Amino acid sequence: MSAPLVTPSIGKPISRVDGFDKVTGKAKYAAEFNVPGLAYGVVVSSAIAKGKINRIDTREALALDGVLQVFTHENRPKLAWFDISYNDQDAPPGSPFRPLHDATIKYSGQPIALVVAETFELARYAATLVKADYEEAAHETDLEANLHKARKPKSGIASLLKPPPPKPRGDFEKAFAEAPVTMNGRYVHAAEHHNPMELFATTVVFEKGGKDNKGKLTIYDKTQGVTNSSMYVTQVFNIPSEDVRVLSPYMGGGFGSGLRPQYQLFMAVMAARELKRSVRVSLTRQQMFTFGHRPATVQNVALGAFSDGIMNSLYHDAVGETSQFEDYTEIVVSWGGMLYPPVNVKMDYKVVPLDLYSPLDMRAPGGVTGMHALEVAMDELAYNLGMDPLELRLRNYTDLDHNEDRPFSSKELRECFRQGAERFGWASRNAEPRSMKKDHNLIGWGMATGIWDANQMPSRAEAVLMVNGKLRVSCATADIGTGTYTIMTQIAADTLGMPMDDVLFKLGDTDLPFSLISGGSWTAASVGSAVQSACQEVGKTLLKLAKKMPGSPFKGAKWDDIMFSDSHLRLKSDPSVAVSLQTLVDQNGGKAVRESVTSLPNALEQRKFSRNTHSAVFVEVMVDEDLGTVKVTRAVSAIAAGRILNPKTSRSQILGGMVWGISKALEEESALDHNFGRFMNHSLAEYHVAVNADIHDLDVIFVEEHDDIVNPLGVKGLGEIGIVGMPAAIANAVFHATGKRVRDLPITLDKLL
């Protein structure tokens, strides 16, 4: 048992501890670390989607004074041979892409050369002088035209986190045929691209020496996992791990795009090693569309119910795109079996290999896609029943995950429904489509359910109470904008009863204790548990020191007998009996008190339960009857996510997800020209995302939820749950407003007119 926390900061809306550095420009990002003699690399991208390079002419570029080298498949150094060396912590089954490996072109925009020069401007100009002659082959990039090629995905280590759909239960076909009320729908999702503000870049600082005498590298990389980038570099280039240090103290947005090492990292390390000097490689906004994206997906959902709304059958299948070289998968179809209790369930998931780069996890991967189809289907079923959509969900409410036949560690979704509906005013809704108007606008109300995983991953943290009485805590994790710096500072401060100003949390450095990639909404639970444990170990050492003091009142005290508050160790039975942490560290012979702990999930206990966050989303839309334009005028998200460490940063996460849900529902679409096999709207001018003018009244409710199973802190991640239910709620509101059911995303005005 751990000592109860005195919590002057956990649970309070504390501003970001890194906020000052960000708004003043003190925070540095991957492309902002300058060193003497830095060279600059610019990537040349392929102009075709499939085929091979017959000839690549670099002579004109190399003739320019100041151009140091042009790297292509013809002069690429010999590197690791086996696929396993190119794998990373988020790699799907298959053969990972190898930049500049050979003359083969696998997808449009593939990097075919790297021009390195003394200045960025020169490298950029020289890149335009590199000419490639191609032998083009027929390509396939159209998912819907190739559905007949769908197959089961290959299995691999990734299946542990993305398991295949559960086996069928009961007899779906028979039950569906006998159901008095049914719905059956097809749902199509366009591909989407992550578009964080910070472009991908890597700065490699080269130093002579190293264990193999081939140089030491300090790498500033845009990544959601410095340990992942380091693993990739050491494996691919066969560099001793002690000669590679990767840092990423700040990240200007990732949303999943930084989970895997992107090709600018490979290019920068290769150039630095070959030229034996420091090199920076930055990608352009257009090149941000040449790796990873949320895959296009086609889904079919069929639901059957009795006339009282009790569901007897559920079918959900999905086909997603993947590349020709890896089998990227998502959990798209499994959510219905977790949320709803029909005994006759059938699910299926397949992939279609296309001549595109491998898709990549993007905020709530699979969840926001699958839940859109499922929750729009639920709305359709509700209308076919003549029943309120909220009432239908309540009648089919379950406290069991029927996929796994086990209870949830906690589930306050019913309370989310109640509080969200009350805040929104759902009870006054007129159910008839096109019944609510304001001037020439149609008003619609819609709702949907959200669910996401609440996982804990292994993580390590170090806590050091320094000789000056300050606390330094560290872990190699990332802060991808979620507030990791802040909440870890809060956890550390409260565990040892210290003010936050006396605590420094460090992250984003492979010299720090190990952490996996930051994604999946597991960072707060995983790293937070490690930080708490490390600080508790410091506390136990301090108690031992206190016991050794002459005439110590703590001589017979046990861990459960003491507490920390106001930078003092105190007896719970009499808090006035206290000794300052500074006094205790002074007793340590002039040395800091240092403890390092690996926090592991309690797998034996956790496997007995399904662990998830839940949400209820209510949305109002205004649709211009003449133009078909849609405006989300207000939305309420009620979230059950265990213990809320910081309401301010937590609300920010949910608001960000809600904004993106609006963007996904109404605007975002990566448009492929299948004649060229290329995403054509590869800029922020043409790839539309929600902006300030699109966002109106958004409200967030955190429903109280206690969970002592998910992790020692009782927290559940918030990064993904905010987006999961939004697109479906918007689509349902659009139907209520217009009477037209649009099943495909995004819902653009041409689909409504």
Side-chain angles (χ1 to χ4, degrees):
M1 285 288 294
S2 60
L5 295 182
V6 177
T7 55
S9 58
I10 286 181
K12 293 187 177 179
I14 293 171
S15 297
R16 294 171 185 256
V17 298
D18 52 325
F20 180 83
D21 287 354
K22 287 183 174 179
V23 299
T24 59
K26 184 180 178 182
K28 282 191 174 184
Y29 296 82
E32 297 180 324
F33 291 90
N34 292 310
V35 293
L38 184 65
Y40 298 84
V42 170
V43 175
V44 180
S45 306
S46 71
I48 66 169
K50 188 175 183 180
K52 68 177 183 178
I53 301 171
N54 284 330
R55 180 171 174 269
I56 187 163
D57 189 347
T58 63
R59 291 173 295 178
E60 196 174 348
L62 286 168
L64 294 176
D65 185 29
V67 172
L68 303 172
Q69 182 58 282
V70 180
F71 293 96
T72 70
H73 67 280
E74 295 176 344
N75 62 350
R76 173 188 188 262
K78 291 183 179 180
L79 300 172
W81 181 259
F82 296 107
D83 282 338
I84 193 171
S85 298
Y86 293 81
N87 274 334
D88 63 86
Q89 294 173 13
D90 197 41
S95 179
F97 176 68
R98 307 184 188 193
L100 307 185
H101 181 63
D102 54 28
T104 305
I105 299 298
K106 298 177 182 289
Y107 69 97
S108 181
Q110 175 180 320
I112 62 170
L114 176 71
V115 178
V116 185
E118 295 287 359
T119 67
F120 170 71
E121 292 78 10
L122 178 59
R124 183 173 57 182
Y125 171 65
T128 68
L129 304 179
V130 176
K131 309 300 180 187
D133 175 57
Y134 302 99
E135 181 180 319
E136 196 165 356
H139 61 263
E140 290 288 353
T141 56
D142 190 336
L143 174 64
E144 292 190 70
N146 288 277
L147 292 176
H148 61 285
K149 297 179 182 178
R151 59 164 172 77
K152 292 286 187 183
K154 299 170 186 173
S155 61
I157 295 176
S159 300
L160 297 174
L161 281 176
K162 298 179 180 179
K167 294 178 180 179
R169 300 195 304 275
D171 188 338
F172 166 78
E173 285 81 6
K174 182 175 183 292
F176 185 74
E178 295 174 350
V181 183
T182 63
M183 67 73 52
N184 194 338
R186 183 176 187 265
Y187 305 82
V188 179
H189 283 64
E192 300 169 59
H193 276 83
H194 319 69
N195 269 292
M197 288 298 292
E198 182 195 6
L199 304 174
F200 272 86
T202 302
T203 302
V204 179
V205 181
F206 181 88
E207 298 177 64
K208 292 181 180 179
K211 187 176 180 181
D212 60 2
N213 208 32
K214 293 182 180 179
K216 298 180 68 174
L217 306 180
T218 300
I219 302 170
Y220 297 95
D221 189 35
K222 171 166 180 164
T223 177
Q224 290 174 236
V226 290
T227 59
N228 199 25
S229 293
S230 176
M231 181 181 81
Y232 177 83
V233 167
T234 55
Q235 291 177 167
V236 170
F237 293 91
N238 191 28
I239 308 174
S241 58
E242 56 262 47
D243 290 343
V244 175
R245 182 185 181 190
V246 181
L247 299 100
S248 183
Y250 296 99
M251 190 178 189
F255 315 115
S257 61
L259 289 172
R260 302 191 68 183
Q262 303 303 352
Y263 62 77
Q264 91 289 336
L265 172 63
F266 174 95
M267 298 289 198
V269 172
M270 175 190 66
R273 294 265 288 176
E274 292 299 295
L275 299 174
K276 300 195 183 315
R277 64 181 294 178
S278 301
V279 176
R280 172 180 300 148
V281 177
S282 304
L283 300 185
T284 65
R285 178 60 63 182
Q286 287 71 28
Q287 287 169 337
M288 296 283 282
F289 288 77
T290 63
F291 59 83
H293 56 278
R294 194 191 300 278
T297 310
V298 177
Q299 302 176 68
N300 294 285
V301 180
L303 305 175
F306 300 109
S307 56
D308 61 359
I310 302 300
M311 295 164 62
N312 78 332
S313 50
L314 185 157
Y315 175 85
H316 193 172
D317 77 37
V319 179
E321 51 150 310
T322 189
S323 68
Q324 298 284 7
F325 46 90
E326 289 178 315
D327 271 19
Y328 172 83
T329 62
E330 295 183 331
I331 299 177
V332 179
V333 304
S334 301
W335 308 103
M338 300 173 72
L339 280 173
Y340 302 116
V343 295
N344 303 287
V345 178
K346 188 176 181 180
M347 304 170 185
D348 195 20
Y349 177 80
K350 294 179 180 177
V351 294
V352 173
L354 297 174
D355 297 311
L356 297 166
Y357 194 86
S358 297
L360 177 62
D361 292 340
M362 187 172 181
R363 199 172 197 168
V368 66
T369 307
M371 286 299 291
H372 165 255
L374 177 68
E375 289 299 289
V376 170
M378 287 292 289
D379 198 69
E380 295 190 45
L381 181 63
Y383 272 96
N384 292 348
L385 285 160
M387 182 177 291
D388 185 295
L390 176 56
E391 179 61 26
L392 175 63
R393 287 166 175 82
L394 290 171
R395 290 196 182 187
N396 289 280
Y397 193 90
T398 175
D399 288 313
L400 283 179
D401 171 0
H402 291 271
N403 287 344
E404 302 290 342
D405 193 27
R406 61 191 183 191
F408 293 94
S409 59
S410 60
K411 184 182 179 183
E412 292 293 342
L413 177 58
R414 194 186 298 275
E415 191 63 16
C416 290
F417 286 142
R418 188 189 69 79
Q419 293 187 31
E422 184 178 306
R423 181 79 61 89
F424 185 82
W426 183 260
S428 61
R429 173 181 182 266
N430 184 333
E432 186 68 25
R434 301 183 69 90
S435 62
M436 300 165 64
K437 289 189 176 184
K438 182 180 180 181
D439 301 326
H440 60 94
N441 293 301
L442 299 167
I443 307 299
W445 289 5
M447 62 84 58
T449 306
I451 183 173
W452 187 250
D453 298 324
N455 288 322
Q456 181 189 358
M457 308 299 283
S459 193
R460 189 168 181 81
E462 181 183 68
V464 183
L465 186 63
M466 297 182 289
V467 292
N468 63 358
K470 307 288 187 180
L471 180 66
R472 186 183 71 223
V473 187
S474 58
C475 176
T477 189
D479 189 335
I480 57 177
T482 51
T484 303
Y485 274 114
T486 307
I487 61 172
M488 297 307 159
T489 304
Q490 290 176 262
I491 293 167
D494 285 5
T495 305
L496 288 176
M498 300 175 68
M500 286 186 62
D501 288 345
D502 285 348
V503 179
L504 173 67
F505 181 70
K506 299 181 69 176
L507 55 70
D509 185 345
T510 50
D511 278 359
L512 303 177
F514 178 84
S515 177
L516 291 168
I517 48 178
S518 182
S521 296
W522 62 55
T523 301
S526 309
V527 179
S529 295
V531 165
Q532 183 189 52
S533 295
C535 292
Q536 286 175 340
E537 289 303 309
V538 167
K540 291 174 183 178
T541 301
L542 294 175
L543 176 58
K544 291 177 183 177
L545 291 169
K547 289 180 177 182
K548 294 178 181 178
M549 296 175 64
S552 173
F554 299 95
K555 194 169 291 290
K558 298 178 181 179
W559 177 246
D560 291 338
D561 299 328
I562 59 99
M563 60 185 288
F564 293 93
S565 66
D566 302 320
S567 298
H568 283 69
L569 185 155
R570 303 175 186 273
L571 283 176
K572 287 181 185 175
S573 59
D574 184 0
S576 65
V577 177
V579 58
S580 73
L581 303 190
Q582 179 66 67
T583 299
L584 291 173
V585 78
D586 289 343
Q587 297 295 310
N588 199 38
K591 297 181 296 182
V593 176
R594 182 187 307 266
E595 298 291 346
S596 186
V597 174
T598 297
S599 178
L600 300 173
N602 184 356
L604 289 177
E605 183 67 17
Q606 290 180 355
R607 66 188 300 179
K608 301 175 186 175
F609 301 89
S610 288
R611 306 173 307 281
N612 299 91
T613 53
H614 296 90
S615 69
V617 184
F618 298 84
V619 165
E620 178 184 84
V621 300
M622 183 183 292
V623 183
D624 189 299
E625 195 168 10
D626 300 320
L627 302 178
T629 53
V630 182
K631 180 188 295 185
V632 176
T633 48
R634 62 190 182 98
V636 174
S637 280
I639 311 292
R643 186 185 194 189
I644 301 301
L645 296 172
N646 185 324
K648 190 172 188 177
T649 58
S650 296
R651 182 175 182 272
S652 177
Q653 280 299 288
I654 301 302
L655 286 176
M658 294 173 74
V659 169
W660 200 342
I662 294 170
S663 195
K664 176 175 175 58
L666 303 178
E667 300 180 50
E668 289 199 46
E669 178 178 12
S670 297
L672 270 165
D673 185 327
H674 299 301
N675 293 315
F676 298 102
R678 171 171 289 207
F679 291 107
M680 303 304 289
N681 56 334
H682 45 69
S683 72
L684 290 183
E686 296 172 305
Y687 182 91
H688 294 168
V689 297
V691 296
N692 285 355
D694 299 309
I695 306 306
H696 300 280
D697 182 12
L698 302 183
D699 196 4
V700 180
I701 301 169
F702 288 114
V703 172
E704 186 173 344
E705 183 176 63
H706 175 76
D707 194 324
D708 55 9
I709 301 296
V710 285
N711 52 73
L713 287 164
V715 303
K716 298 178 179 180
L718 289 164
E720 266 103 350
I721 190 63
I723 189 177
V724 174
M726 279 293 289
I730 293 168
N732 294 337
V734 168
F735 172 76
H736 182 233
T738 65
K740 185 169 184 179
R741 183 69 71 178
V742 180
R743 292 170 173 161
D744 302 347
L745 294 187
I747 303 172
T748 46
L749 56 87
D750 56 299
K751 296 172 183 174
L752 285 174
L753 288 176

